[in-house]
Amino acid sequence: MEKISQYLTTNPNVTFNLNITPWALDHAADSDITISANATYQGYRERDLLLVRREIMQSPFVVVASPDYLTRQNTPTSPSELIQHQCLFATTLTGSNDWVFHQNNECQIIKVPKSLEVNDSDLLLQATLNGAGIAYLPAFLVDDYINRGEITPILEDFDTSVWSLNVYYQPPATASAVAIHFKDFLLS
């Protein structure tokens, strides 16, 4: 919102229609600019939207649980052990309850139990902090909590999917001048 607010102060005749949804790409062709987050892993193929995509941020996922949860349960030492745990996930982050792990050039996709499913990463983080179970969250959301000892990373010997934030926009030949101007401002 900060960037939009800044833009509006110097461009007061521009209007924005913000639609916050985890399914933003379903409507991307109807928008001048779409900002969407998704989880990717080696071998992931994004559908062709006939739009330009520019990644503006990425963060690996981290498997985390509260010290309280890990005191009550055995700490998993391999991804396959997650099926014996309460797992918390946000479909808006991963698209499903499939968690991806890589080690030694091998990829494992684990379908974790649907102990708690939410559509908001902040709710997922709060449930994790409250000891409800194990979560798969982007590092930028959990790093401060890990550093303060409020949650503990587990399965650190495994690489995970990568959460990325992307801007999608029409190619210059078909984009409006206003959309191009805002896109350039947003990406500067």
Side-chain angles (χ1 to χ4, degrees), residues 1-36:
M1 279 308 292
E2 182 180 336
K3 283 282 203 177
I4 292 173
S5 299
Q6 289 172 356
Y7 190 81
L8 284 173
T9 60
T10 57
N11 299 277
N13 294 326
V14 173
T15 59
F16 285 89
N17 178 357
L18 295 178
N19 184 9
I20 310 300
T21 173
W23 301 277
L25 291 182
D26 292 345
H27 308 286
D30 303 327
S31 303
D32 290 322
I33 295 175
T34 299
I35 299 173
S36 181

Short mmCIF file of all heavy atoms in Angstrom, two decimals, residues 1-36:
data_model
loop_
_atom_site.label_atom_id
_atom_site.label_comp_id
_atom_site.label_asym_id
_atom_site.label_seq_id
_atom_site.Cartn_x
_atom_site.Cartn_y
_atom_site.Cartn_z
N MET A 1 0.82 -1.19 0.00
CA MET A 1 0.00 0.00 0.00
C MET A 1 0.86 1.26 0.00
O MET A 1 0.42 2.28 -0.48
CB MET A 1 -0.93 0.00 1.22
CG MET A 1 -2.18 -0.84 1.05
SD MET A 1 -3.15 -0.50 -0.43
CE MET A 1 -3.78 1.12 -0.15
N GLU A 2 2.06 1.16 0.56
CA GLU A 2 2.91 2.33 0.62
C GLU A 2 3.22 2.86 -0.78
O GLU A 2 3.14 4.06 -1.03
CB GLU A 2 4.21 2.00 1.37
CG GLU A 2 5.13 3.19 1.53
CD GLU A 2 6.40 2.84 2.28
OE1 GLU A 2 6.39 1.86 3.05
OE2 GLU A 2 7.39 3.55 2.09
N LYS A 3 3.56 1.96 -1.70
CA LYS A 3 3.89 2.38 -3.07
C LYS A 3 2.67 2.99 -3.76
O LYS A 3 2.79 4.00 -4.46
CB LYS A 3 4.41 1.19 -3.89
CG LYS A 3 5.83 0.83 -3.60
CD LYS A 3 6.75 1.79 -4.30
CE LYS A 3 8.10 1.18 -4.51
NZ LYS A 3 9.01 2.04 -5.25
N ILE A 4 1.49 2.41 -3.56
CA ILE A 4 0.27 2.96 -4.17
C ILE A 4 -0.02 4.34 -3.59
O ILE A 4 -0.35 5.28 -4.34
CB ILE A 4 -0.91 2.00 -3.99
CG1 ILE A 4 -0.67 0.74 -4.83
CG2 ILE A 4 -2.23 2.67 -4.38
CD1 ILE A 4 -1.68 -0.36 -4.60
N SER A 5 0.12 4.49 -2.30
CA SER A 5 -0.10 5.79 -1.66
C SER A 5 0.86 6.84 -2.20
O SER A 5 0.46 7.97 -2.50
CB SER A 5 0.05 5.67 -0.15
OG SER A 5 -0.90 4.78 0.37
N GLN A 6 2.12 6.47 -2.33
CA GLN A 6 3.11 7.40 -2.88
C GLN A 6 2.74 7.80 -4.30
O GLN A 6 2.84 8.97 -4.68
CB GLN A 6 4.51 6.76 -2.88
CG GLN A 6 5.12 6.59 -1.52
CD GLN A 6 6.41 5.77 -1.58
OE1 GLN A 6 6.81 5.27 -2.63
NE2 GLN A 6 7.06 5.63 -0.44
N TYR A 7 2.33 6.83 -5.09
CA TYR A 7 1.97 7.10 -6.48
C TYR A 7 0.77 8.03 -6.57
O TYR A 7 0.75 8.96 -7.39
CB TYR A 7 1.70 5.78 -7.22
CG TYR A 7 1.57 5.94 -8.71
CD1 TYR A 7 2.70 6.02 -9.51
CD2 TYR A 7 0.32 6.02 -9.32
CE1 TYR A 7 2.61 6.17 -10.88
CE2 TYR A 7 0.21 6.17 -10.70
CZ TYR A 7 1.36 6.25 -11.48
OH TYR A 7 1.26 6.40 -12.83
N LEU A 8 -0.22 7.80 -5.72
CA LEU A 8 -1.42 8.63 -5.76
C LEU A 8 -1.15 10.09 -5.37
O LEU A 8 -1.85 10.99 -5.83
CB LEU A 8 -2.50 8.04 -4.86
CG LEU A 8 -3.22 6.83 -5.42
CD1 LEU A 8 -4.14 6.22 -4.37
CD2 LEU A 8 -4.00 7.18 -6.67
N THR A 9 -0.15 10.33 -4.53
CA THR A 9 0.14 11.71 -4.13
C THR A 9 0.65 12.53 -5.32
O THR A 9 0.42 13.73 -5.38
CB THR A 9 1.15 11.79 -2.97
OG1 THR A 9 2.37 11.18 -3.38
CG2 THR A 9 0.61 11.12 -1.72
N THR A 10 1.34 11.88 -6.26
CA THR A 10 1.86 12.61 -7.42
C THR A 10 1.01 12.40 -8.68
O THR A 10 1.23 13.07 -9.68
CB THR A 10 3.31 12.19 -7.71
OG1 THR A 10 3.36 10.78 -7.91
CG2 THR A 10 4.24 12.59 -6.57
N ASN A 11 0.05 11.47 -8.61
CA ASN A 11 -0.82 11.18 -9.75
C ASN A 11 -2.27 11.08 -9.26
O ASN A 11 -2.87 10.00 -9.30
CB ASN A 11 -0.40 9.87 -10.42
CG ASN A 11 1.01 9.92 -10.95
OD1 ASN A 11 1.25 10.42 -12.04
ND2 ASN A 11 1.96 9.43 -10.16
N PRO A 12 -2.86 12.19 -8.82
CA PRO A 12 -4.18 12.13 -8.18
C PRO A 12 -5.33 11.76 -9.11
O PRO A 12 -6.41 11.39 -8.64
CB PRO A 12 -4.37 13.56 -7.63
CG PRO A 12 -3.48 14.41 -8.49
CD PRO A 12 -2.32 13.53 -8.86
N ASN A 13 -5.13 11.79 -10.42
CA ASN A 13 -6.22 11.46 -11.35
C ASN A 13 -6.26 9.97 -11.71
O ASN A 13 -7.11 9.55 -12.49
CB ASN A 13 -6.11 12.31 -12.61
CG ASN A 13 -6.34 13.78 -12.31
OD1 ASN A 13 -7.14 14.11 -11.43
ND2 ASN A 13 -5.63 14.64 -13.01
N VAL A 14 -5.35 9.20 -11.17
CA VAL A 14 -5.32 7.75 -11.43
C VAL A 14 -6.18 7.06 -10.38
O VAL A 14 -6.18 7.43 -9.21
CB VAL A 14 -3.86 7.23 -11.38
CG1 VAL A 14 -3.82 5.71 -11.48
CG2 VAL A 14 -3.04 7.87 -12.48
N THR A 15 -6.93 6.06 -10.80
CA THR A 15 -7.73 5.28 -9.86
C THR A 15 -7.23 3.84 -9.84
O THR A 15 -6.73 3.32 -10.84
CB THR A 15 -9.23 5.28 -10.25
OG1 THR A 15 -9.36 4.73 -11.56
CG2 THR A 15 -9.80 6.68 -10.22
N PHE A 16 -7.35 3.22 -8.68
CA PHE A 16 -6.94 1.84 -8.49
C PHE A 16 -8.15 1.02 -8.06
O PHE A 16 -9.00 1.51 -7.31
CB PHE A 16 -5.86 1.72 -7.39
CG PHE A 16 -4.51 2.18 -7.81
CD1 PHE A 16 -4.14 3.51 -7.66
CD2 PHE A 16 -3.61 1.30 -8.36
CE1 PHE A 16 -2.90 3.95 -8.05
CE2 PHE A 16 -2.36 1.72 -8.75
CZ PHE A 16 -2.00 3.05 -8.60
N ASN A 17 -8.21 -0.20 -8.50
CA ASN A 17 -9.19 -1.17 -8.04
C ASN A 17 -8.39 -2.35 -7.52
O ASN A 17 -7.86 -3.13 -8.31
CB ASN A 17 -10.12 -1.59 -9.17
CG ASN A 17 -11.13 -2.63 -8.75
OD1 ASN A 17 -11.12 -3.09 -7.61
ND2 ASN A 17 -11.99 -3.03 -9.66
N LEU A 18 -8.27 -2.47 -6.21
CA LEU A 18 -7.49 -3.55 -5.61
C LEU A 18 -8.41 -4.71 -5.26
O LEU A 18 -9.42 -4.52 -4.58
CB LEU A 18 -6.78 -3.07 -4.34
CG LEU A 18 -5.72 -2.01 -4.51
CD1 LEU A 18 -5.15 -1.62 -3.16
CD2 LEU A 18 -4.63 -2.49 -5.42
N ASN A 19 -8.05 -5.87 -5.73
CA ASN A 19 -8.81 -7.08 -5.45
C ASN A 19 -7.84 -8.06 -4.80
O ASN A 19 -7.00 -8.65 -5.48
CB ASN A 19 -9.40 -7.65 -6.74
CG ASN A 19 -10.27 -8.86 -6.50
OD1 ASN A 19 -10.58 -9.20 -5.37
ND2 ASN A 19 -10.65 -9.52 -7.58
N ILE A 20 -7.92 -8.21 -3.49
CA ILE A 20 -7.00 -9.08 -2.76
C ILE A 20 -7.61 -10.48 -2.72
O ILE A 20 -8.64 -10.70 -2.09
CB ILE A 20 -6.77 -8.57 -1.32
CG1 ILE A 20 -6.40 -7.08 -1.31
CG2 ILE A 20 -5.74 -9.42 -0.60
CD1 ILE A 20 -5.15 -6.74 -2.07
N THR A 21 -6.98 -11.39 -3.41
CA THR A 21 -7.48 -12.76 -3.49
C THR A 21 -6.31 -13.71 -3.74
O THR A 21 -5.35 -13.33 -4.41
CB THR A 21 -8.52 -12.92 -4.62
OG1 THR A 21 -8.85 -14.30 -4.77
CG2 THR A 21 -8.01 -12.39 -5.94
N PRO A 22 -6.38 -14.91 -3.21
CA PRO A 22 -5.31 -15.87 -3.49
C PRO A 22 -5.37 -16.41 -4.93
O PRO A 22 -4.47 -17.09 -5.36
CB PRO A 22 -5.55 -16.99 -2.47
CG PRO A 22 -6.97 -16.85 -2.08
CD PRO A 22 -7.32 -15.40 -2.22
N TRP A 23 -6.43 -16.07 -5.64
CA TRP A 23 -6.59 -16.57 -7.01
C TRP A 23 -6.44 -15.44 -8.01
O TRP A 23 -7.13 -15.38 -9.02
CB TRP A 23 -7.93 -17.26 -7.15
CG TRP A 23 -8.03 -18.38 -6.18
CD1 TRP A 23 -7.53 -19.65 -6.35
CD2 TRP A 23 -8.61 -18.35 -4.87
NE1 TRP A 23 -7.76 -20.40 -5.21
CE2 TRP A 23 -8.43 -19.63 -4.29
CE3 TRP A 23 -9.24 -17.37 -4.12
CZ2 TRP A 23 -8.86 -19.95 -3.02
CZ3 TRP A 23 -9.68 -17.70 -2.85
CH2 TRP A 23 -9.49 -18.98 -2.32
N ALA A 24 -5.53 -14.51 -7.74
CA ALA A 24 -5.35 -13.33 -8.59
C ALA A 24 -5.03 -13.69 -10.03
O ALA A 24 -5.47 -13.00 -10.95
CB ALA A 24 -4.26 -12.44 -8.00
N LEU A 25 -4.29 -14.75 -10.25
CA LEU A 25 -3.91 -15.09 -11.62
C LEU A 25 -5.09 -15.54 -12.46
O LEU A 25 -5.04 -15.49 -13.68
CB LEU A 25 -2.81 -16.15 -11.62
CG LEU A 25 -1.46 -15.68 -11.10
CD1 LEU A 25 -0.43 -16.80 -11.21
CD2 LEU A 25 -0.99 -14.44 -11.83
N ASP A 26 -6.17 -15.96 -11.80
CA ASP A 26 -7.37 -16.33 -12.55
C ASP A 26 -7.97 -15.12 -13.27
O ASP A 26 -8.72 -15.27 -14.23
CB ASP A 26 -8.43 -16.94 -11.63
CG ASP A 26 -8.00 -18.30 -11.10
OD1 ASP A 26 -7.05 -18.89 -11.65
OD2 ASP A 26 -8.62 -18.77 -10.13
N HIS A 27 -7.65 -13.91 -12.78
CA HIS A 27 -8.21 -12.68 -13.35
C HIS A 27 -7.13 -11.78 -13.95
O HIS A 27 -7.40 -10.64 -14.28
CB HIS A 27 -8.97 -11.91 -12.27
CG HIS A 27 -9.99 -12.76 -11.56
ND1 HIS A 27 -11.17 -13.12 -12.14
CD2 HIS A 27 -9.96 -13.34 -10.35
CE1 HIS A 27 -11.85 -13.88 -11.29
NE2 HIS A 27 -11.13 -14.04 -10.21
N ALA A 28 -5.92 -12.30 -14.08
CA ALA A 28 -4.80 -11.47 -14.51
C ALA A 28 -4.99 -10.89 -15.91
O ALA A 28 -4.60 -9.76 -16.17
CB ALA A 28 -3.50 -12.28 -14.46
N ALA A 29 -5.61 -11.63 -16.82
CA ALA A 29 -5.79 -11.14 -18.18
C ALA A 29 -6.73 -9.94 -18.23
O ALA A 29 -6.69 -9.16 -19.18
CB ALA A 29 -6.31 -12.26 -19.07
N ASP A 30 -7.57 -9.77 -17.19
CA ASP A 30 -8.53 -8.67 -17.15
C ASP A 30 -7.98 -7.45 -16.41
O ASP A 30 -8.69 -6.46 -16.27
CB ASP A 30 -9.82 -9.12 -16.46
CG ASP A 30 -10.45 -10.32 -17.14
OD1 ASP A 30 -10.34 -10.43 -18.38
OD2 ASP A 30 -11.04 -11.15 -16.43
N SER A 31 -6.76 -7.51 -15.95
CA SER A 31 -6.17 -6.43 -15.15
C SER A 31 -4.99 -5.81 -15.86
O SER A 31 -4.32 -6.46 -16.66
CB SER A 31 -5.69 -6.99 -13.80
OG SER A 31 -6.75 -7.60 -13.11
N ASP A 32 -4.72 -4.56 -15.53
CA ASP A 32 -3.52 -3.91 -16.06
C ASP A 32 -2.28 -4.48 -15.41
O ASP A 32 -1.28 -4.74 -16.06
CB ASP A 32 -3.58 -2.40 -15.83
CG ASP A 32 -4.63 -1.72 -16.69
OD1 ASP A 32 -4.79 -2.12 -17.86
OD2 ASP A 32 -5.27 -0.79 -16.19
N ILE A 33 -2.36 -4.64 -14.08
CA ILE A 33 -1.23 -5.17 -13.31
C ILE A 33 -1.78 -6.11 -12.25
O ILE A 33 -2.76 -5.80 -11.58
CB ILE A 33 -0.43 -4.03 -12.64
CG1 ILE A 33 0.22 -3.14 -13.72
CG2 ILE A 33 0.63 -4.59 -11.69
CD1 ILE A 33 0.92 -1.93 -13.17
N THR A 34 -1.15 -7.25 -12.09
CA THR A 34 -1.53 -8.22 -11.07
C THR A 34 -0.29 -8.53 -10.24
O THR A 34 0.78 -8.77 -10.79
CB THR A 34 -2.07 -9.51 -11.71
OG1 THR A 34 -3.22 -9.20 -12.48
CG2 THR A 34 -2.42 -10.54 -10.65
N ILE A 35 -0.46 -8.53 -8.93
CA ILE A 35 0.61 -8.94 -8.04
C ILE A 35 0.17 -10.24 -7.40
O ILE A 35 -0.92 -10.32 -6.83
CB ILE A 35 0.90 -7.87 -6.97
CG1 ILE A 35 1.33 -6.57 -7.65
CG2 ILE A 35 1.97 -8.36 -6.00
CD1 ILE A 35 1.48 -5.40 -6.72
N SER A 36 0.97 -11.26 -7.53
CA SER A 36 0.58 -12.58 -7.05
C SER A 36 1.78 -13.30 -6.44
O SER A 36 2.91 -13.16 -6.91
CB SER A 36 0.02 -13.41 -8.21
OG SER A 36 -0.38 -14.68 -7.76
#
